Amino acid sequence: MPMRAADLIHEVDRLTPYKMYGRVTQVVGLTIEAKGPQAAVGELCYIHSDTNSETLQAEVVGFRGEHVLLMPLNAAVDIAPGSLVEASRRPLEIKVGTGLIGKVIDGLGRPMDGSTLPEGLTPQPIDNEPPNPLMRPRIEEPLSLGVKAVDGCMTVGKGQRVGIFAGSGVGKSTLLAMFTKHSDADINVIALIGERGREVKEFIERDLGKSGMKNTILVVATSDQPALMRIKGAMTATAVAEYFREQGKDVNLLMDSVTRFAMAQREIGLAIGEPPTTKGYTPSVFALLPRLLERSGTSENGTVTAFYTVLVDGDDMNEPVADAVRGILDGHLVLSRELANKGHYPAIHVLQSVSRVMGDIVSKTHINAAEQLRRLLSTYEESEDLIQIGAYKRGSSKEVDRAVKAYPKIQQFLQQSMDEPVPFQETVDQLEKMFGKGE
């Protein structure tokens, strides 16, 4: 596809009649230190090796005196003192368009199957400013996710940002796959950040399948890749989602996990000399998190509904990253290991989960039915020990009697198999029929 005149003028304006060069002086840990070139933080540079024809891409992450600190986007091999460093005079960009749908790309936007990018894609910077708060439309319309527990009790709106908090092995990936396959979104953008390489193909073939990939773009930055590449993977996925939002689409952005994104930024911060402050995390982590998470949401053209998984070590919901993310997002789903151990899937702990916009986007009868379910479930759990050992006598409390009677219906409503999508209105009808009149 030929470039438009405006795009050509933009490219010409970015050209400079000279190039800036420097030389590598030393490599310390994750960072490459160079004498020159003149460059700004965030600028992309190319490091030319004397023994390898391939150039290494690196980003300027800081300065030490008159030396430039660079972080490589790939493994730093064949780099020696004196290697030539060339400034590109621009930040990292990717190419985005509908031609990426159904593909798996890396953190730099390159197809991971070795194929070439399709034609007709648009250059897009990966680090953009969040939308102006005053230009963001309010969230007014629910998004059907096809999962009864979420649609019924923690309804998500188009453009909402939700955290999925869980320890390892309680069904995060399965829940993300259900959202991908069953939701009403136009496009799904999934970011696997810091995942084991083995799990990537398993997620594509076992969890998503062909039906899940048909309207999905997958961005992958595995745990073996440099920390900066994991950061770029999250940024790239967000940029892809932003592109389709500006095309008027309703986009689902699903990132697994924001914890490993924070760990990657901690690696970078420690490497360039930042002090570890909160449980080993550097200040830049807590500055970068809102910058990433605020980029999703609504705009004047479309929406990005975002789901960010957060790993909670030892199921500790108050660890630093979980606490920071929960304060930024518009709601959270808590996955319970106790429920998972009982075979209750999806293992969503309804009483600990919340959607901060549900009250603005669903009917009064829907809210009343959801609140009634929560009250009965809470009452049952408070008396569960007495009920299980047979110490509770029927008739002692009308509220507990109602909770015991309703508990099997609640469990049936909240459980759902992975390949069993339920339309939003059907979920609401079931919920209101069971609990809409105080039953």
Side-chain angles (χ1 to χ4, degrees):
M1 181 182 291
M3 293 184 70
R4 296 176 301 173
D7 293 333
L8 286 170
I9 292 171
H10 177 64
E11 289 297 319
V12 170
D13 286 343
R14 297 202 306 179
L15 295 175
T16 58
Y18 54 88
K19 290 185 177 181
M20 306 292 292
Y21 292 98
R23 294 283 182 181
V24 171
T25 56
Q26 65 176 343
V27 177
V28 180
L30 303 177
T31 59
I32 299 170
E33 192 170 308
K35 179 71 173 178
Q38 184 178 344
V41 171
E43 188 173 318
L44 186 66
C45 292
Y46 303 104
I47 303 176
H48 303 276
S49 169
D50 296 333
T51 59
N52 194 329
S53 59
E54 293 185 8
T55 59
L56 176 68
Q57 290 182 311
E59 185 178 284
V60 178
V61 294
F63 306 95
R64 184 174 291 128
E66 296 183 356
H67 288 79
V68 178
L69 299 179
L70 301 140
M71 190 77 67
L73 290 165
N74 298 103
V77 295
D78 294 326
I79 301 300
S83 292
L84 195 65
V85 181
E86 177 187 348
S88 69
R89 314 300 295 170
R90 65 180 68 181
L92 181 65
E93 288 185 340
I94 58 168
K95 292 186 176 181
V96 192
T98 54
L100 289 182
I101 296 175
K103 290 190 175 295
V104 182
I105 59 176
D106 66 9
L108 303 182
R110 303 171 301 196
M112 294 194 71
D113 59 4
S115 63
T116 57
L117 285 171
E119 295 184 358
L121 302 182
T122 304
Q124 183 91 351
I126 68 168
D127 191 4
N128 300 305
E129 290 292 329
N132 186 322
L134 297 182
M135 304 302 288
R136 286 180 184 261
R138 291 185 61 187
I139 299 170
E140 298 176 336
E141 186 178 351
L143 175 68
S144 174
L145 295 170
V147 179
K148 291 187 294 181
V150 180
D151 286 345
C153 303
M154 293 82 63
T155 309
V156 172
K158 291 182 179 179
Q160 188 173 347
R161 301 158 306 147
V162 181
I164 300 175
F165 294 77
S168 57
V170 293
K172 296 186 302 300
S173 298
T174 302
L175 186 60
L176 292 181
M178 291 176 74
F179 289 163
T180 301
K181 293 193 289 186
H182 305 332
S183 80
D184 286 346
D186 300 315
I187 301 287
N188 297 298
V189 181
I190 303 177
L192 300 181
I193 308 301
E195 287 294 311
R196 305 173 188 90
R198 173 186 62 81
E199 293 182 335
V200 174
K201 198 163 187 179
E202 284 186 6
F203 180 74
I204 295 170
E205 296 181 355
R206 183 193 63 195
D207 296 335
L208 291 182
K210 291 183 179 179
S211 62
M213 284 299 294
K214 67 181 180 181
N215 65 337
T216 296
I217 300 170
L218 198 63
V219 182
V220 176
T222 51
S223 59
D224 60 295
Q225 294 181 313
L228 189 59
M229 189 63 129
R230 283 172 267 151
I231 295 287
K232 297 307 177 189
M235 296 290 190
T236 292
T238 306
V240 172
E242 288 171 330
Y243 170 83
F244 286 105
R245 176 177 63 187
E246 298 314 306
Q247 306 302 309
K249 303 292 186 183
D250 292 321
V251 185
N252 272 354
L253 172 62
L254 308 104
M255 187 176 297
D256 185 17
S257 70
V258 73
T259 304
R260 294 193 174 108
F261 170 84
M263 289 177 174
Q265 181 58 34
R266 176 174 64 182
E267 286 182 40
I268 293 172
L270 292 173
I272 62 176
E274 277 191 85
T277 52
T278 309
K279 290 191 177 179
Y281 286 98
T282 58
S284 63
V285 173
F286 302 102
L288 192 60
L289 279 173
R291 183 173 178 83
L292 174 74
L293 303 180
E294 287 286 354
R295 287 170 59 183
S296 53
T298 60
S299 78
E300 294 175 296
N301 299 313
T303 64
V304 173
T305 308
F307 300 90
Y308 300 98
T309 69
V310 182
L311 293 168
V312 284
D313 294 332
D315 298 325
D316 177 15
M317 291 292 294
N318 296 314
E319 65 95 22
V321 172
D323 201 42
V325 170
R326 191 167 55 246
I328 298 168
L329 300 180
D330 309 316
H332 52 269
L333 306 177
V334 177
L335 301 190
S336 164
R337 189 175 301 280
E338 183 180 351
L339 290 176
N341 291 340
K342 293 177 181 178
H344 182 296
Y345 288 102
I348 300 171
H349 197 304
V350 172
L351 300 180
Q352 293 183 11
S353 304
V354 67
S355 168
R356 292 191 176 121
V357 304
M358 181 177 175
D360 298 328
I361 59 176
V362 301
S363 66
K364 187 72 173 176
T365 54
H366 183 172
I367 292 174
N368 290 340
E371 288 178 349
Q372 182 70 9
L373 183 150
R374 285 175 179 269
R375 278 196 296 270
L376 291 171
L377 184 59
S378 175
T379 300
Y380 183 90
E381 290 193 358
E382 287 173 1
S383 305
E384 186 173 14
D385 290 343
L386 293 176
I387 296 168
Q388 293 297 331
I389 65 173
Y392 173 76
K393 294 182 179 180
R394 187 175 179 180
S396 302
S397 167
K398 289 184 178 180
E399 190 69 19
V400 176
D401 287 346
R402 290 177 60 220
V404 171
K405 180 181 177 182
Y407 188 71
K409 292 191 295 183
I410 293 173
Q411 293 302 296
Q412 184 180 6
F413 177 79
L414 296 178
Q415 294 184 64
Q416 183 176 343
S417 67
M418 183 177 179
D419 297 317
E420 180 196 356
V422 181
F424 182 80
Q425 192 56 51
E426 184 179 329
T427 295
V428 176
D429 291 343
Q430 285 185 31
L431 185 65
E432 292 180 355
K433 183 179 180 181
M434 289 190 293
F435 306 107
K437 297 181 180 179
E439 292 295 330

